Amino acid sequence: DIVMTQSPDSLAVSLGETATINCKSSQSVLYRSNNKNYINWYQQKPGQPPRLLISWASTRESGVPDRFSGSGSGTDFTLTISSLQAEDVAVYYCQQYYNTPLSFGGGTKVEIK
Amino acid sequence: QVQLVQSGAEMKKPGSSVKVSCKASGGSISSNAISWVRRAPGQGLDWMGGVVPIYGTPNYAPKFRGRLTITTDESTNSAFMELSSLTSEDTAVYYCARGRQLVVEDACDVWGQGTLVTVSS
């Protein structure tokens, strides 16, 4: 099974500054045949279901602000939130869908400093 | 736009079973994969299993195999998650979620609102 490790567990960022969340998989999630990384990023706010932000490690979903960006390949991935807004306070999860069982990182709680 | 509406909160005794439903509106439950994910208090998201309704055979995470059953019913346009031999550690919010394609190994872009299951004596 693929283990996903996120860091940090939480971070506090000033409004307008940049938040950076890291995610590491225990094995590569890059399919050589299509050169795609099977990584999603989700945002979850209190009392709400998760929201898909980014798939294929770097492809933003429709309607997701462009201050959210994903990068990385192989085993190391990053979610960057540029110019943090108050509405970005949430827990963020990476997930691998390279194979089953699908697995999530432990989550990173983003707060306003 | 497809929406997923889940059944209401449940209170269960240890050792019993719970069955949560997930009804699709605005589209067919059979058009995409369906996954079940839970979040226990103070914990992160945990993928339980998934199914592609037209193929039929569910795929369960090893930790739930043997006590988890995922089914779908085209006549009611619904998916179901049944978990047996409940313990207090199964207290969580349970979500159904739709994959974008006919494979379980995919992103989930539509989620149910969640169902709180509380296991307590």
Side-chain angles (χ1 to χ4, degrees):
Chain A
D1 297 359
I2 298 176
V3 177
M4 305 299 293
T5 304
Q6 275 184 246
S7 62
D9 292 337
S10 64
L11 73 161
V13 177
S14 301
L15 289 172
E17 297 300 305
T18 296
T20 302
I21 301 168
N22 300 301
C23 175
K24 189 174 183 67
S25 57
S26 60
Q27 68 182 72
S28 175
V29 294
L30 171 64
Y31 257 120
R32 298 289 182 189
S33 60
N34 60 9
N35 201 36
K36 286 179 179 270
N37 288 282
Y38 283 57
I39 290 289
N40 298 315
W41 287 97
Y42 292 92
Q43 173 194 65
Q44 189 174 29
K45 298 181 179 180
Q48 296 185 19
R51 174 194 181 194
L52 178 64
L53 297 177
I54 287 171
S55 59
W56 305 119
S58 61
T59 302
R60 255 190 321 272
E61 289 297 293
S62 174
V64 174
D66 60 8
R67 64 180 180 273
F68 291 92
S69 63
S71 63
S73 185
T75 61
D76 293 279
F77 302 90
T78 300
L79 175 69
T80 302
I81 312 172
S82 306
S83 189
L84 189 80
Q85 305 297 303
E87 62 264 32
D88 300 333
V89 169
V91 181
Y92 293 85
Y93 296 92
C94 60
Q95 181 202 34
Q96 67 81 19
Y97 55 112
Y98 183 85
N99 60 20
T100 56
L102 308 187
S103 47
F104 292 90
T108 297
K109 187 175 185 179
V110 173
E111 300 172 307
I112 304 297
K113 185 187 293 182
Chain B
Q1 174 73 342
V2 171
Q3 289 188 318
L4 301 176
V5 179
Q6 298 180 222
S7 48
E10 301 265 11
M11 286 278 294
K12 292 293 180 180
K13 299 287 189 189
S16 67
S17 299
V18 67
K19 190 170 186 177
V20 179
S21 67
C22 170
K23 185 174 177 63
S25 62
S28 172
I29 197 75
S30 300
S31 299
N32 302 74
I34 294 289
S35 280
W36 288 88
V37 174
R38 75 179 187 181
R39 186 178 181 187
Q43 304 293 312
L45 299 173
D46 196 4
W47 184 81
M48 303 176 68
V51 65
V52 180
I54 61 170
Y55 301 150
T57 304
N59 187 319
Y60 300 123
K63 66 183 288 188
F64 298 105
R65 214 167 281 154
R67 66 185 191 104
L68 174 63
T69 304
I70 294 173
T71 56
T72 57
D73 182 345
E74 287 189 37
S75 67
T76 59
N77 212 26
S78 298
F80 302 89
M81 183 282 301
E82 185 169 19
L83 191 62
S84 62
S85 302
L86 293 171
T87 72
S88 58
E89 296 190 350
D90 294 314
T91 294
V93 177
Y94 290 77
Y95 298 99
C96 62
R98 186 194 78 159
R100 294 175 303 184
Q101 304 175 78
L102 288 172
V103 290
V104 170
E105 298 86 344
D106 194 9
C108 290
D109 60 350
V110 179
W111 292 68
Q113 81 277 18
T115 297
L116 174 63
V117 175
T118 304
V119 184
S120 175
S121 55

